Amino acid sequence: MDVSPADLLAGVTATAAPLLLASLGETVTEKAGVINLSLDGTILLGAMTGFAVAATSGSLAAGFLAAAAAGTAVAAVLSLIGTWLGQSQVAVGFTLTLLCRDLAYFLGTPHARQPGPQLLASPVPLLSDLPLLGPALFNQSLPVYLSFAAIPATWYFIYRTRPGLILRAVGENPAACWARGIRPRLVQTAATLAGGALVGLAGAGYSLALKPGWGRPQGCEGIGWIALALVIFGGWHPVRVALGAYLFGFLQISTILLQDLFPSLPTQVFQVAPFPIMIFTLILIHAGRNARGRKQRLLLRLFRGRPPAALGRTYRQA
Amino acid sequence: MKAQQSIENQSPGSRLPLLLIPALALTLVCLLLLVLGLSPLTIGRALASGSVGNWLKFSHVLSVWSPLLLCSCGLLFTFRAGLWNIGIEGQVILGAICCTAVLRLPGGLLPPPAVLTLALLAGGAGGGLWGILAGELRNRGGVNEIFGGLGLNFVGQGLVIWLIFGPWKRAGIASMSGTDLLPPHFWLQSPPGWRVAPVALALAVLTLAASILLLDRTRFGLRLRAAGTSPGAARLFGIEPDRISLQAMFLAGLLAGLAGGLQVTAVYHRLIPAISSGYGYLALLVVMLANYRPLAVPLIALFFACLVTGSIQLPISLQIDSSLAGVIQGACVLSALLVYGLRKEKS
């Protein structure tokens, strides 16, 4: 199969879009010091909800909204038990991952393998005809445009606005924030809910655009774990996290191309290969960064990052 | 993300009864079913008759219980050491792969029972190695065990699929149904009228007893707890927390690998893509619901095994997806986390 570089790039930006939304959502959540480990299940629940609502109501917008609502609802449970009742966020998040996955399969049975609406590409006139970058940037569906906008928007919000400053402060030192009249738990809850909404949207990005339809498997299983890994190894920086998402998109696309080069290897191997490759790429970069006698090469500098100091710790109000 | 405090919920501050947990879970699930227009009673009856209706079905439950119990016992060690061993799923898979590899060796040198024993040991070793890998990634690479473990899970899954569709494919055509069946002399046999191999059952029960002893009656158990709750203080007493956590990871991987070996030799009699049946992840839920206490683990594992087995018939008898079992299990653990959280908050 011959693929032009333009098509390749277009494939990468489209594949990475939902992953980007989810990992940027998680970045916002973790900046406030909360780990939402439920991503993998939440994305599936969002995908199922989005597809089911869009198919029954006939409205794609309703589908996306419902998916965001589902993601927010899961995040609310995490907030309640984790942030407010002080249980381990990892324990709650992991339980929610499995619960949401099974809930999605259970509730989605009537919609499995049913026809439904699908969001088509909405090309930007003129710009989409640009060579090389045209199809990648300007001939995509709305979630992809949203994912483009989300990168600078998240960065701007976190690093250039006052609420973003408060968000980071709470993630670093909730007790000091409390002393300054900020209510850390409220900020953490808001960040968790907002992040959850983006994760839910990511789910709809799969079931209504990238991999239209609902079924078991839907095709987005495992993505949530990649998103979580991206945030941590991307150093909690939206731009680096986005780079990671594009790297994963590139991996997924290139395995499709590599299939032709290695016809002896079974197709199924190519479907699972990007996941371990991605995680170990991130781990290697991370390990290289921690190695003693390090040299600050450009690549390593790019991926340097430090977790919010209070990440995963429950803030217990006096 | 370091285990900064003990994972366990120890302080029963207020007297909120623990009975609230099943009550809450039951209410949540019943509400969900009623909203969907399904009868909780009918489904409950179907689940019960599908799991404890007769000996044949209950012996099927026990065949789920054995590997689940093995994994849960392994997790008791890692949780006690303050580790979140999500990589257990991959450790089960590697156990299954290594076990199958031994059974596929050109035979004739050793009698089948000896080969079978070696294969199970190889399974345990494979799982243990996978556990150590995640442990070393954590100790030396500074990679949180959750992500190292996840990466290794993905690798394990990829390996299984590669083997089934590549080198170990069935004569003729490779398919998702797995490798060729093993010759019957390599099966852990079940007596007629049984669905569980007594060897598997015995192995699980012995492991449980040994784990309880190790955890609560030996110096090793104490060291685990020390390394898990306060690694800094442990170091002052000459305990090397990194080494202890590596030992815990090895033990957990060993038991998970054994579970994988049982899946091959006693349950499926071949290697299939979903060889782990998700028991690794399920075991994490079991141990969480048991509040990390060894004595509650076998009962909760039995309950979860009943749900797994009882739900198999649901799609046929009631046109309900069998993922309902997972919904009930998740609701139970979530309720437990909520109730324990409320107890903590009131204290």
Side-chain angles (χ1 to χ4, degrees):
Chain A
M1 151 170 58
D2 268 334
V3 177
S4 71
D7 289 344
L8 182 75
L9 279 177
V12 171
T13 48
T15 312
L19 177 60
L20 250 171
L21 291 178
S23 47
L24 289 177
E26 180 70 11
T27 307
V28 171
T29 304
E30 291 195 11
K31 274 284 180 196
V34 178
I35 297 173
N36 184 353
L37 207 68
S38 76
L39 256 56
D40 205 49
T42 310
I43 289 180
L44 272 172
L45 194 64
M48 189 281 296
T49 314
F51 182 76
V53 168
T56 24
S57 71
S59 154
L60 282 162
F64 276 97
L65 277 179
T72 317
V74 178
V77 176
L78 173 73
S79 255
L80 172 70
I81 306 182
T83 308
W84 292 91
L85 293 180
Q87 290 290 62
S88 150
Q89 289 161 9
V90 175
V92 182
F94 181 76
T95 310
L96 281 173
T97 307
L98 296 192
L99 177 60
C100 292
R101 184 198 65 192
D102 285 325
L103 205 57
Y105 289 143
F106 180 62
L107 296 175
T109 325
H111 301 280
R113 313 260 167 254
Q114 298 291 314
Q118 178 190 350
L119 197 56
L120 297 172
S122 21
V124 180
L126 294 178
L127 286 175
S128 58
D129 297 327
L130 283 177
L132 197 61
L133 286 178
L137 298 179
F138 301 109
N139 188 11
Q140 297 284 5
S141 60
L142 284 173
V144 184
Y145 296 133
L146 184 65
S147 75
F148 293 151
I151 306 169
T154 319
W155 176 83
Y156 186 82
F157 170 73
I158 292 178
Y159 293 105
R160 289 291 181 272
T161 66
R162 178 142 186 94
L165 179 67
I166 293 175
L167 181 84
R168 281 183 290 144
V170 166
E172 294 294 336
N173 194 340
C177 290
W178 173 250
R180 297 274 314 214
I182 296 165
R183 296 166 75 181
R185 286 175 170 185
L186 276 187
V187 176
Q188 291 185 328
T189 307
T192 314
L193 295 183
L198 276 174
V199 176
L201 269 183
Y206 282 104
S207 65
L208 292 176
L210 187 61
K211 294 184 174 175
W214 173 253
R216 180 181 189 170
Q218 203 279 336
C220 58
E221 282 85 354
I223 291 289
W225 296 117
I226 296 291
L228 273 161
L230 281 178
V231 176
I232 292 185
F233 298 107
W236 291 269
H237 191 290
V239 177
R240 290 178 213 151
V241 169
L243 278 178
Y246 285 122
L247 179 64
F248 184 74
F250 174 72
L251 269 176
Q252 280 201 308
I253 294 288
S254 58
T255 45
I256 299 175
L257 302 179
L258 283 175
Q259 227 162 297
D260 295 340
L261 286 178
F262 301 95
S264 58
L265 276 171
T267 359
Q268 287 79 3
V269 172
F270 287 102
Q271 283 162 7
V272 288
F275 291 89
I277 295 178
M278 186 69 206
I279 290 205
F280 282 104
T281 311
L282 296 172
I283 283 176
L284 281 179
I285 293 171
H286 181 81
R289 179 167 83 216
N290 281 9
R292 253 167 279 149
R294 62 188 153 173
K295 279 188 191 144
Q296 296 284 336
R297 296 211 189 87
L298 178 70
L299 189 69
L300 294 186
R301 261 210 314 270
L302 207 59
F303 279 89
R304 225 175 46 186
R306 192 182 54 78
L311 184 62
R313 255 171 244 193
T314 314
Y315 172 61
R316 298 193 67 81
Q317 222 147 276
Chain B
M1 274 193 68
K2 285 256 168 62
Q4 65 286 98
Q5 70 248 2
S6 171
I7 288 174
E8 291 151 68
N9 293 301
Q10 274 163 334
S11 62
S14 74
R15 295 278 101 211
L16 262 183
L18 287 183
L19 219 58
L20 215 60
I21 297 171
L24 187 64
L26 195 66
T27 316
L28 285 175
V29 173
C30 286
L31 273 179
L32 173 76
L33 293 176
L34 287 173
V35 166
L36 293 173
L38 301 165
S39 153
L41 262 182
T42 320
I43 291 174
R45 215 173 287 137
L47 282 174
S49 76
S51 53
V52 292
N54 55 41
W55 168 248
L56 189 67
K57 288 187 172 140
F58 189 65
S59 67
H60 191 186
V61 170
L62 291 178
S63 78
V64 175
W65 184 68
S66 316
L68 189 58
L69 188 59
L70 282 172
C71 293
S72 307
C73 286
L75 288 172
L76 283 172
F77 292 102
T78 42
F79 271 126
R80 184 68 54 101
L83 297 166
W84 258 88
N85 184 17
I86 281 192
I88 183 137
E89 193 71 21
Q91 291 150 21
V92 177
I93 295 175
L94 252 283
I97 290 178
C98 293
C99 177
T100 315
V102 170
L103 295 178
R104 288 182 69 94
L105 289 176
L109 288 172
L110 288 168
V115 179
L116 208 50
T117 314
L118 276 180
L120 284 177
L121 285 176
L129 175 81
W130 226 232
I132 285 191
L133 259 176
E136 284 289 7
L137 272 172
R138 170 185 179 274
N139 289 349
R140 288 174 199 233
V143 176
N144 184 284
E145 73 271 8
I146 294 182
F147 288 94
L150 267 174
L152 290 169
N153 287 353
F154 285 129
V155 174
Q157 193 58 50
L159 264 178
V160 155
I161 287 181
W162 173 65
L163 286 168
I164 288 175
F165 287 89
W168 292 355
K169 70 174 170 225
R170 300 177 83 142
I173 183 88
S175 80
M176 286 304 270
S177 63
T179 60
D180 280 318
L181 274 180
L182 295 167
H185 56 260
F186 284 155
W187 296 10
L188 281 180
Q189 296 286 355
S190 316
W194 288 44
R195 289 246 183 96
V196 61
V199 179
L201 208 53
L203 215 60
V205 173
L206 284 177
T207 304
L208 175 70
S211 303
I212 293 177
L213 279 179
L214 257 177
L215 282 165
D216 290 342
R217 291 277 179 277
T218 65
R219 198 165 287 202
F220 175 67
L222 211 58
R223 286 208 184 108
L224 278 180
R225 192 186 283 282
T229 41
S230 47
R235 218 168 269 127
L236 293 181
F237 285 93
I239 298 170
E240 211 26 83
D242 278 1
R243 240 183 70 196
I244 296 285
S245 40
L246 214 56
Q247 287 166 354
M249 289 300 281
F250 174 73
L251 265 178
L254 178 88
L255 296 181
L258 215 52
L262 289 184
Q263 288 285 91
V264 171
T265 52
V267 180
Y268 292 106
H269 308 305
R270 60 174 183 239
L271 193 64
I272 60 168
I275 191 70
S276 75
S277 305
Y279 292 163
Y281 289 145
L282 195 57
L284 280 161
L285 291 192
V286 168
V287 181
M288 272 195 261
L289 186 53
N291 197 19
Y292 315 98
R293 277 185 303 234
L295 286 176
V297 160
L299 286 177
I300 287 166
L302 188 66
F303 172 56
F304 275 26
C306 283
L307 284 173
V308 169
T309 320
S311 67
I312 295 175
Q313 289 293 326
L314 284 183
I316 302 156
S317 60
L318 296 171
Q319 282 80 51
I320 293 170
D321 197 76
S322 54
S323 46
L324 178 64
V327 175
I328 300 177
Q329 288 154 352
C332 288
V333 181
L334 209 59
S335 305
L337 288 167
L338 185 71
V339 170
Y340 282 121
L342 284 170
R343 279 158 72 109
K344 225 192 268 175
E345 192 65 8
K346 292 249 173 78
S347 62

mmCIF file of all heavy atoms in Angstrom, chain B residues 89-122:
data_model
loop_
_atom_site.group_PDB
_atom_site.id
_atom_site.type_symbol
_atom_site.label_atom_id
_atom_site.label_comp_id
_atom_site.label_asym_id
_atom_site.label_seq_id
_atom_site.Cartn_x
_atom_site.Cartn_y
_atom_site.Cartn_z
ATOM 1 N N GLU B 89 -1.662 -9.142 35.951
ATOM 2 C CA GLU B 89 -2.315 -9.700 34.768
ATOM 3 C C GLU B 89 -1.264 -10.276 33.813
ATOM 4 O O GLU B 89 -1.392 -11.392 33.321
ATOM 5 C CB GLU B 89 -3.111 -8.576 34.089
ATOM 6 C CG GLU B 89 -4.086 -9.005 33.045
ATOM 7 C CD GLU B 89 -5.306 -9.716 33.595
ATOM 8 O OE1 GLU B 89 -5.625 -9.551 34.790
ATOM 9 O OE2 GLU B 89 -5.904 -10.472 32.826
ATOM 10 N N GLY B 90 -0.214 -9.525 33.581
ATOM 11 C CA GLY B 90 0.856 -10.000 32.709
ATOM 12 C C GLY B 90 1.603 -11.166 33.327
ATOM 13 O O GLY B 90 2.089 -12.050 32.614
ATOM 14 N N GLN B 91 1.687 -11.197 34.655
ATOM 15 C CA GLN B 91 2.371 -12.299 35.322
ATOM 16 C C GLN B 91 1.603 -13.601 35.132
ATOM 17 O O GLN B 91 2.198 -14.667 34.955
ATOM 18 C CB GLN B 91 2.563 -11.958 36.811
ATOM 19 C CG GLN B 91 3.567 -10.821 37.025
ATOM 20 C CD GLN B 91 3.299 -9.974 38.251
ATOM 21 O OE1 GLN B 91 2.624 -10.399 39.188
ATOM 22 N NE2 GLN B 91 3.813 -8.760 38.264
ATOM 23 N N VAL B 92 0.257 -13.526 35.144
ATOM 24 C CA VAL B 92 -0.551 -14.711 34.846
ATOM 25 C C VAL B 92 -0.265 -15.173 33.414
ATOM 26 O O VAL B 92 -0.046 -16.363 33.159
ATOM 27 C CB VAL B 92 -2.059 -14.399 34.999
ATOM 28 C CG1 VAL B 92 -2.892 -15.604 34.610
ATOM 29 C CG2 VAL B 92 -2.383 -13.970 36.414
ATOM 30 N N ILE B 93 -0.237 -14.220 32.493
ATOM 31 C CA ILE B 93 -0.045 -14.559 31.082
ATOM 32 C C ILE B 93 1.315 -15.214 30.867
ATOM 33 O O ILE B 93 1.437 -16.247 30.206
ATOM 34 C CB ILE B 93 -0.168 -13.284 30.218
ATOM 35 C CG1 ILE B 93 -1.588 -12.735 30.305
ATOM 36 C CG2 ILE B 93 0.196 -13.573 28.768
ATOM 37 C CD1 ILE B 93 -1.781 -11.424 29.586
ATOM 38 N N LEU B 94 2.359 -14.627 31.461
ATOM 39 C CA LEU B 94 3.696 -15.194 31.294
ATOM 40 C C LEU B 94 3.772 -16.592 31.881
ATOM 41 O O LEU B 94 4.407 -17.486 31.313
ATOM 42 C CB LEU B 94 4.725 -14.274 31.947
ATOM 43 C CG LEU B 94 5.591 -13.502 30.978
ATOM 44 C CD1 LEU B 94 6.663 -14.420 30.409
ATOM 45 C CD2 LEU B 94 4.760 -12.938 29.824
ATOM 46 N N GLY B 95 3.084 -16.794 33.015
ATOM 47 C CA GLY B 95 3.035 -18.129 33.597
ATOM 48 C C GLY B 95 2.435 -19.124 32.614
ATOM 49 O O GLY B 95 2.963 -20.222 32.412
ATOM 50 N N ALA B 96 1.347 -18.728 31.994
ATOM 51 C CA ALA B 96 0.686 -19.606 31.032
ATOM 52 C C ALA B 96 1.611 -19.892 29.856
ATOM 53 O O ALA B 96 1.711 -21.033 29.383
ATOM 54 C CB ALA B 96 -0.612 -18.964 30.560
ATOM 55 N N ILE B 97 2.322 -18.873 29.383
ATOM 56 C CA ILE B 97 3.219 -19.056 28.235
ATOM 57 C C ILE B 97 4.345 -20.026 28.595
ATOM 58 O O ILE B 97 4.607 -20.997 27.864
ATOM 59 C CB ILE B 97 3.820 -17.700 27.797
ATOM 60 C CG1 ILE B 97 2.742 -16.825 27.171
ATOM 61 C CG2 ILE B 97 4.962 -17.912 26.812
ATOM 62 C CD1 ILE B 97 3.231 -15.460 26.749
ATOM 63 N N CYS B 98 5.011 -19.787 29.731
ATOM 64 C CA CYS B 98 6.142 -20.637 30.099
ATOM 65 C C CYS B 98 5.692 -22.071 30.334
ATOM 66 O O CYS B 98 6.395 -23.022 29.966
ATOM 67 C CB CYS B 98 6.816 -20.095 31.357
ATOM 68 S SG CYS B 98 7.618 -18.521 31.067
ATOM 69 N N CYS B 99 4.524 -22.231 30.945
ATOM 70 C CA CYS B 99 3.998 -23.568 31.187
ATOM 71 C C CYS B 99 3.758 -24.284 29.847
ATOM 72 O O CYS B 99 4.176 -25.435 29.665
ATOM 73 C CB CYS B 99 2.707 -23.443 31.979
ATOM 74 S SG CYS B 99 1.892 -24.977 32.294
ATOM 75 N N THR B 100 3.108 -23.572 28.919
ATOM 76 C CA THR B 100 2.849 -24.169 27.607
ATOM 77 C C THR B 100 4.158 -24.520 26.903
ATOM 78 O O THR B 100 4.262 -25.567 26.255
ATOM 79 C CB THR B 100 2.042 -23.195 26.727
ATOM 80 O OG1 THR B 100 0.987 -22.657 27.509
ATOM 81 C CG2 THR B 100 1.469 -23.897 25.516
ATOM 82 N N ALA B 101 5.149 -23.636 27.042
ATOM 83 C CA ALA B 101 6.427 -23.865 26.365
ATOM 84 C C ALA B 101 7.034 -25.194 26.803
ATOM 85 O O ALA B 101 7.509 -25.979 25.974
ATOM 86 C CB ALA B 101 7.386 -22.716 26.658
ATOM 87 N N VAL B 102 7.010 -25.462 28.113
ATOM 88 C CA VAL B 102 7.574 -26.728 28.608
ATOM 89 C C VAL B 102 6.774 -27.910 28.066
ATOM 90 O O VAL B 102 7.343 -28.920 27.635
ATOM 91 C CB VAL B 102 7.596 -26.731 30.146
ATOM 92 C CG1 VAL B 102 7.942 -28.113 30.669
ATOM 93 C CG2 VAL B 102 8.597 -25.714 30.656
ATOM 94 N N LEU B 103 5.456 -27.770 28.055
ATOM 95 C CA LEU B 103 4.622 -28.884 27.595
ATOM 96 C C LEU B 103 4.789 -29.146 26.102
ATOM 97 O O LEU B 103 4.488 -30.225 25.618
ATOM 98 C CB LEU B 103 3.143 -28.603 27.912
ATOM 99 C CG LEU B 103 2.802 -28.532 29.392
ATOM 100 C CD1 LEU B 103 1.337 -28.207 29.594
ATOM 101 C CD2 LEU B 103 3.146 -29.842 30.084
ATOM 102 N N ARG B 104 5.255 -28.140 25.360
ATOM 103 C CA ARG B 104 5.418 -28.315 23.917
ATOM 104 C C ARG B 104 6.793 -28.867 23.555
ATOM 105 O O ARG B 104 7.058 -29.152 22.385
ATOM 106 C CB ARG B 104 5.218 -26.971 23.202
ATOM 107 C CG ARG B 104 3.787 -26.501 23.190
ATOM 108 C CD ARG B 104 3.682 -25.195 22.434
ATOM 109 N NE ARG B 104 3.913 -25.393 21.015
ATOM 110 C CZ ARG B 104 2.950 -25.588 20.128
ATOM 111 N NH1 ARG B 104 1.711 -25.605 20.523
ATOM 112 N NH2 ARG B 104 3.234 -25.752 18.858
ATOM 113 N N LEU B 105 7.689 -28.984 24.539
ATOM 114 C CA LEU B 105 9.016 -29.529 24.257
ATOM 115 C C LEU B 105 8.869 -30.935 23.693
ATOM 116 O O LEU B 105 7.944 -31.658 24.050
ATOM 117 C CB LEU B 105 9.844 -29.580 25.553
ATOM 118 C CG LEU B 105 10.317 -28.246 26.117
ATOM 119 C CD1 LEU B 105 11.020 -28.476 27.449
ATOM 120 C CD2 LEU B 105 11.235 -27.549 25.139
ATOM 121 N N PRO B 106 9.791 -31.326 22.800
ATOM 122 C CA PRO B 106 9.738 -32.698 22.303
ATOM 123 C C PRO B 106 9.844 -33.651 23.482
ATOM 124 O O PRO B 106 10.762 -33.559 24.297
ATOM 125 C CB PRO B 106 10.961 -32.791 21.383
ATOM 126 C CG PRO B 106 11.805 -31.608 21.701
ATOM 127 C CD PRO B 106 10.889 -30.551 22.212
ATOM 128 N N GLY B 107 8.853 -34.526 23.615
ATOM 129 C CA GLY B 107 8.725 -35.311 24.837
ATOM 130 C C GLY B 107 9.422 -36.658 24.754
ATOM 131 O O GLY B 107 10.237 -36.921 23.880
ATOM 132 N N GLY B 108 9.081 -37.497 25.726
ATOM 133 C CA GLY B 108 9.598 -38.856 25.734
ATOM 134 C C GLY B 108 10.692 -39.085 26.755
ATOM 135 O O GLY B 108 10.958 -40.217 27.140
ATOM 136 N N LEU B 109 11.349 -38.001 27.190
ATOM 137 C CA LEU B 109 12.450 -38.184 28.133
ATOM 138 C C LEU B 109 11.952 -38.456 29.552
ATOM 139 O O LEU B 109 12.504 -39.269 30.270
ATOM 140 C CB LEU B 109 13.345 -36.937 28.132
ATOM 141 C CG LEU B 109 14.205 -36.753 26.882
ATOM 142 C CD1 LEU B 109 14.890 -35.398 26.897
ATOM 143 C CD2 LEU B 109 15.248 -37.870 26.794
ATOM 144 N N LEU B 110 10.912 -37.729 29.935
ATOM 145 C CA LEU B 110 10.414 -37.828 31.305
ATOM 146 C C LEU B 110 8.973 -38.324 31.281
ATOM 147 O O LEU B 110 8.255 -38.106 30.308
ATOM 148 C CB LEU B 110 10.460 -36.448 31.975
ATOM 149 C CG LEU B 110 11.833 -35.885 32.341
ATOM 150 C CD1 LEU B 110 11.706 -34.425 32.706
ATOM 151 C CD2 LEU B 110 12.433 -36.680 33.489
ATOM 152 N N PRO B 111 8.554 -38.966 32.352
ATOM 153 C CA PRO B 111 7.143 -39.371 32.422
ATOM 154 C C PRO B 111 6.251 -38.131 32.497
ATOM 155 O O PRO B 111 6.655 -37.115 33.077
ATOM 156 C CB PRO B 111 7.071 -40.192 33.716
ATOM 157 C CG PRO B 111 8.261 -39.780 34.509
ATOM 158 C CD PRO B 111 9.320 -39.398 33.519
ATOM 159 N N PRO B 112 5.041 -38.198 31.930
ATOM 160 C CA PRO B 112 4.144 -37.026 31.875
ATOM 161 C C PRO B 112 3.944 -36.317 33.210
ATOM 162 O O PRO B 112 3.996 -35.085 33.223
ATOM 163 C CB PRO B 112 2.837 -37.607 31.341
ATOM 164 C CG PRO B 112 3.255 -38.797 30.545
ATOM 165 C CD PRO B 112 4.485 -39.356 31.207
ATOM 166 N N PRO B 113 3.737 -37.034 34.335
ATOM 167 C CA PRO B 113 3.538 -36.267 35.580
ATOM 168 C C PRO B 113 4.734 -35.386 35.913
ATOM 169 O O PRO B 113 4.564 -34.263 36.399
ATOM 170 C CB PRO B 113 3.359 -37.361 36.637
ATOM 171 C CG PRO B 113 2.926 -38.552 35.885
ATOM 172 C CD PRO B 113 3.585 -38.481 34.544
ATOM 173 N N ALA B 114 5.943 -35.874 35.617
ATOM 174 C CA ALA B 114 7.132 -35.069 35.892
ATOM 175 C C ALA B 114 7.164 -33.848 34.991
ATOM 176 O O ALA B 114 7.488 -32.729 35.433
ATOM 177 C CB ALA B 114 8.385 -35.913 35.681
ATOM 178 N N VAL B 115 6.822 -34.036 33.714
ATOM 179 C CA VAL B 115 6.793 -32.903 32.786
ATOM 180 C C VAL B 115 5.768 -31.877 33.256
ATOM 181 O O VAL B 115 6.020 -30.666 33.244
ATOM 182 C CB VAL B 115 6.453 -33.386 31.353
ATOM 183 C CG1 VAL B 115 6.403 -32.201 30.400
ATOM 184 C CG2 VAL B 115 7.458 -34.412 30.886
ATOM 185 N N LEU B 116 4.607 -32.378 33.689
ATOM 186 C CA LEU B 116 3.543 -31.493 34.148
ATOM 187 C C LEU B 116 4.005 -30.672 35.354
ATOM 188 O O LEU B 116 3.771 -29.458 35.421
ATOM 189 C CB LEU B 116 2.332 -32.360 34.529
ATOM 190 C CG LEU B 116 0.954 -31.742 34.406
ATOM 191 C CD1 LEU B 116 0.746 -31.093 33.060
ATOM 192 C CD2 LEU B 116 -0.102 -32.811 34.636
ATOM 193 N N THR B 117 4.682 -31.326 36.283
ATOM 194 C CA THR B 117 5.205 -30.614 37.457
ATOM 195 C C THR B 117 6.197 -29.541 37.026
ATOM 196 O O THR B 117 6.126 -28.388 37.468
ATOM 197 C CB THR B 117 5.901 -31.596 38.411
ATOM 198 O OG1 THR B 117 5.058 -32.727 38.574
ATOM 199 C CG2 THR B 117 6.174 -30.952 39.745
ATOM 200 N N LEU B 118 7.114 -29.955 36.131
ATOM 201 C CA LEU B 118 8.100 -28.989 35.638
ATOM 202 C C LEU B 118 7.415 -27.811 34.957
ATOM 203 O O LEU B 118 7.820 -26.654 35.113
ATOM 204 C CB LEU B 118 9.036 -29.670 34.642
ATOM 205 C CG LEU B 118 10.220 -30.421 35.247
ATOM 206 C CD1 LEU B 118 11.049 -31.048 34.145
ATOM 207 C CD2 LEU B 118 11.066 -29.446 36.063
ATOM 208 N N ALA B 119 6.368 -28.117 34.192
ATOM 209 C CA ALA B 119 5.666 -27.061 33.452
ATOM 210 C C ALA B 119 5.044 -26.059 34.412
ATOM 211 O O ALA B 119 5.134 -24.843 34.205
ATOM 212 C CB ALA B 119 4.604 -27.674 32.548
ATOM 213 N N LEU B 120 4.422 -26.568 35.486
ATOM 214 C CA LEU B 120 3.812 -25.657 36.461
ATOM 215 C C LEU B 120 4.882 -24.815 37.147
ATOM 216 O O LEU B 120 4.701 -23.618 37.364
ATOM 217 C CB LEU B 120 3.002 -26.446 37.494
ATOM 218 C CG LEU B 120 1.654 -26.968 36.993
ATOM 219 C CD1 LEU B 120 0.957 -27.792 38.062
ATOM 220 C CD2 LEU B 120 0.746 -25.800 36.574
ATOM 221 N N LEU B 121 6.007 -25.466 37.452
ATOM 222 C CA LEU B 121 7.109 -24.715 38.062
ATOM 223 C C LEU B 121 7.609 -23.638 37.110
ATOM 224 O O LEU B 121 7.888 -22.500 37.506
ATOM 225 C CB LEU B 121 8.251 -25.660 38.438
ATOM 226 C CG LEU B 121 8.007 -26.528 39.672
ATOM 227 C CD1 LEU B 121 9.159 -27.499 39.890
ATOM 228 C CD2 LEU B 121 7.823 -25.639 40.897
ATOM 229 N N ALA B 122 7.727 -24.008 35.836
ATOM 230 C CA ALA B 122 8.164 -23.028 34.835
ATOM 231 C C ALA B 122 7.185 -21.869 34.775
ATOM 232 O O ALA B 122 7.582 -20.705 34.638
ATOM 233 C CB ALA B 122 8.289 -23.690 33.474
#
